[in-house]
Amino acid sequence: MSTSSFVDLTHHLSPETIARKTNPLKDIIRISLSNPQLISLANGDPHHSLYPIRRIDYEVASVSSEDPVADLKSLGDAAPTQVLSTSHDADSQRLLKASLQYGHGAGLADALRTVDSINKAYHDAPNHVTTMTLGNADGITKVLRMLGAPGDYFLADEFTFAPMPLAAEAHDVKWVPVRIDSGGIVPEELERILATWNPERGRRPHVLYTVPCGQNPTGSTLSLERRKKIYEIAQRYDLIIIEDDPYYFLQYDRTRSEPGASNDFARSLLSLDVDGRVIRIDSFSKIMAPGMRLGWITSTPAFYNYLVKYIDLSTQNPHGFGQILITSLLGPSGWQLSGFDRWVRSLRADYQRRRDFLLDLFAREVAATGFASADEPEAGMFVWVRVHVEKHPRFRSGLAERAADGTVVRTNTAALMAELFDACVAGGLVICPASVFVIRADPKYDDVSDPIDDRSNFIRTTFAGSEETIAAGIPILGRVLKEFFASPAA
């Protein structure tokens, strides 16, 4: 596949994006960076000889063993490490100098080559290009703004990590929820929404935002079959897919490749993209450290150009310290790509152990009560717990009460779940109720025969913490549920 086979999708760009001009000073910087032999009297950044930073050393875990995360945990301070230094050769000094200077929106060339090598190893997208970001949230909000015009409708999982839709709503982008189940987005529901869209409502949705692996909050993972169906729907209805995949490397129980995959990680939507309609968001937050605030966007060259314009006029390229770290880490003197692969596989094995620990404890302390159950997540950091509110003595069905958004709810599920949240806090436990993740339907246009308030009998728990935290928290949940369901009928 060559870039010439990409479909022209620039009609998806927002008017703001089209109107945004190029930063002329950044163009001059790009000329200087691409022609180092030029003598420059144009730049306004301090000379590198005046920087107070002469050397940066990063002490990182050694990946010489097959399970470096286990070594790090079991051996503590005695665990083997290696030091990545910017002082040991001319190339690392060049990298340090470049990272401390003004750059341009795409990021350091060295860092871009590094994330390109990750993409090449795990995805099949040879003609897409990368742009560095300040982590997933930064990348997503930039892409949403690049595509979203006031009054536009975007599609998302009906339960979605709240900050992402809120960011777009500030620019008057409206959201349409797509029904999900334990396997993620239901493709038939996606197609139904698009096929029956009422033009009186406005422009048909042209962007789908989704988390395909370990979806936050439900923990669901799209099968390859569903990914293919979703992509085919996107082709038929001219959708851009924003593939937000921070949990891609945290996939569990994957002992063999699925058809079409080059490794034992799920085949990404990016790898299915022949038109150039997938914009993928990656991050180092879940596999390195969230405070790094470093990630990357993968898109077609056409979208890349508009992203760089936006970055050059807003946040500028990401901080040099993080870009030095990932460049050195995957470079010849660091882990290299093979060591990175050992690290993420070791990391996912550790998270899988934590997941299994939580689920084993959940079976004994919570599921045994009969008041809650949970599916085993295939990826991510979360277990989506179904609370069987219909067993509560004060559960009511057959109602016809109008919620604040105009939806007619049939049960008192929302009120009972709010009580349960308060009871958990009073019992010493904080969980995330499903209500904080809801994308609300418009009862004037959307199918609300099965209102989401009546289906929000879920809580999100996490196994990202320590086993000590899990061991302390899950029994509290079991005890609170027993007390809550023992409360007398009204």
Side-chain angles (χ1 to χ4, degrees):
M1 180 180 66
S2 67
T3 55
S4 61
S5 68
F6 288 148
V7 176
D8 181 2
L9 297 168
T10 53
H11 57 278
H12 287 280
L13 296 169
S14 68
E16 175 195 6
T17 297
I18 295 170
R20 187 175 290 114
K21 297 179 180 178
T22 301
N23 183 336
L25 294 176
K26 292 295 183 180
D27 274 347
I28 294 173
I29 289 176
R30 272 187 277 273
I31 292 171
S32 297
L33 291 175
S34 60
N35 297 275
Q37 75 279 7
L38 292 176
I39 296 171
S40 176
L41 295 179
N43 54 310
D45 52 324
H47 192 265
H48 64 84
S49 64
L50 302 178
Y51 301 160
I53 300 168
R54 286 291 181 265
R55 166 178 169 167
I56 298 176
D57 291 342
Y58 294 99
E59 185 177 10
V60 298
S62 169
V63 291
S64 56
S65 76
E66 287 303 310
D67 197 353
V69 174
D71 290 347
L72 199 62
K73 289 176 60 181
S74 63
L75 299 176
D77 291 341
T81 61
Q82 72 177 104
V83 175
L84 308 173
S85 177
T86 59
S87 66
H88 68 276
D89 59 34
D91 194 54
S92 61
Q93 276 292 300
R94 175 199 57 78
L95 178 62
L96 175 61
K97 176 182 170 182
S99 70
L100 298 178
Q101 294 174 330
Y102 288 129
H104 64 87
L108 283 176
D110 301 80
L112 290 167
R113 283 192 290 271
T114 297
V115 296
D116 284 343
S117 70
I118 295 174
N119 276 358
K120 184 177 180 181
Y122 297 96
H123 309 289
D124 181 18
N127 297 298
H128 291 69
V129 292
T130 52
T131 311
M132 302 304 299
T133 68
L134 294 163
N136 264 51
D138 176 58
I140 295 161
T141 53
K142 283 185 167 68
V143 171
L144 292 176
R145 193 160 176 180
M146 179 179 74
L147 300 172
D152 273 0
Y153 287 88
F154 286 3
L155 299 149
D157 306 351
E158 61 181 347
F159 294 103
T160 290
F161 182 57
M164 296 304 97
L166 289 174
E169 285 178 7
H171 301 286
D172 197 28
V173 169
K174 302 174 177 64
W175 291 91
V176 179
V178 184
R179 191 74 175 256
I180 62 175
D181 59 18
S182 59
I185 278 186
V186 179
E188 293 75 15
E189 285 296 302
L190 173 63
E191 182 153 29
R192 180 191 61 78
I193 291 169
L194 295 165
T196 61
W197 185 260
N198 186 342
E200 293 180 2
R201 189 175 183 179
R203 179 186 181 185
R204 192 174 65 195
H206 66 109
V207 173
L208 168 66
Y209 167 75
T210 190
V211 179
C213 292
Q215 195 262 3
N216 186 1
T218 68
S220 61
T221 295
L222 291 170
S223 66
L224 179 60
E225 179 184 6
R226 284 200 183 187
R227 291 173 197 238
K228 288 180 176 179
K229 286 182 178 179
I230 289 168
Y231 189 80
E232 289 166 0
I233 292 168
Q235 289 181 304
R236 284 200 300 275
Y237 291 92
D238 190 24
L239 290 178
I240 298 295
I241 300 174
I242 302 175
E243 182 181 27
D244 178 17
D245 216 355
Y247 308 105
Y248 175 79
F249 291 104
L250 303 182
Q251 299 179 40
Y252 313 123
D253 305 308
R254 302 189 65 84
T255 56
R256 55 187 179 145
S257 297
E258 60 189 10
S262 59
N263 49 57
D264 61 349
F265 292 91
R267 194 174 186 196
S268 62
L269 287 161
L270 178 70
S271 295
L272 301 175
D273 188 22
V274 294
D275 293 347
R277 63 179 66 253
V278 174
I279 301 177
R280 182 180 169 84
I281 317 289
D282 281 282
S283 172
F284 289 102
S285 293
K286 304 300 187 293
I287 54 175
M288 294 294 176
M292 281 180 66
R293 305 316 308 145
L294 194 67
W296 69 99
I297 298 169
T298 307
S299 70
T300 63
F303 286 140
Y304 163 92
N305 291 329
Y306 288 99
L307 284 167
V308 170
K309 275 187 186 181
Y310 182 14
I311 296 168
D312 277 342
L313 290 168
S314 58
T315 57
Q316 310 289 309
N317 67 304
H319 54 95
F321 300 117
Q323 295 189 77
I324 287 177
L325 174 57
I326 60 114
T327 300
S328 301
L329 196 64
L330 273 76
S333 301
W335 289 355
Q336 302 180 40
L337 189 60
S338 59
F340 172 82
D341 188 70
R342 275 196 301 279
W343 174 260
V344 295
R345 290 173 187 277
S346 177
L347 188 67
R348 75 174 180 179
D350 189 83
Y351 274 112
Q352 182 169 327
R353 285 190 287 269
R354 294 176 193 229
R355 181 205 64 176
D356 294 346
F357 178 79
L358 185 150
L359 290 173
D360 288 346
L361 194 58
F362 183 92
R364 297 194 303 273
E365 300 286 344
V366 180
T369 68
F371 300 133
S373 58
D375 292 326
E376 181 179 273
E378 296 177 31
M381 296 178 165
F382 307 112
V383 173
W384 192 232
V385 176
R386 178 190 293 271
V387 179
H388 301 303
V389 289
E390 69 278 3
K391 295 183 177 181
H392 196 281
R394 286 188 285 110
F395 176 76
R396 296 291 178 268
S397 60
L399 305 177
E401 298 179 354
R402 193 167 296 276
D405 63 357
T407 303
V408 176
V409 297
R410 312 295 181 187
T411 72
N412 62 340
T413 296
L416 288 173
M417 291 302 295
E419 286 184 35
L420 178 59
F421 175 79
D422 291 340
C424 284
V425 173
L429 177 68
V430 179
I431 44 84
C432 280
S435 59
V436 303
F437 302 106
V438 166
I439 300 287
R440 297 208 164 270
D442 183 342
K444 183 177 179 181
Y445 296 104
D446 297 323
D447 179 9
V448 291
S449 57
D450 189 10
I452 198 165
D453 283 328
D454 291 339
R455 295 183 288 108
S456 293
N457 54 314
F458 292 88
I459 58 176
R460 190 194 76 176
T461 61
T462 181
F463 49 92
S466 67
E467 290 188 356
E468 291 78 12
T469 299
I470 296 169
I474 293 298
I476 295 176
L477 178 59
R479 184 178 72 247
V480 169
L481 282 169
K482 289 178 184 176
E483 295 170 356
F484 180 68
F485 278 83
S487 62

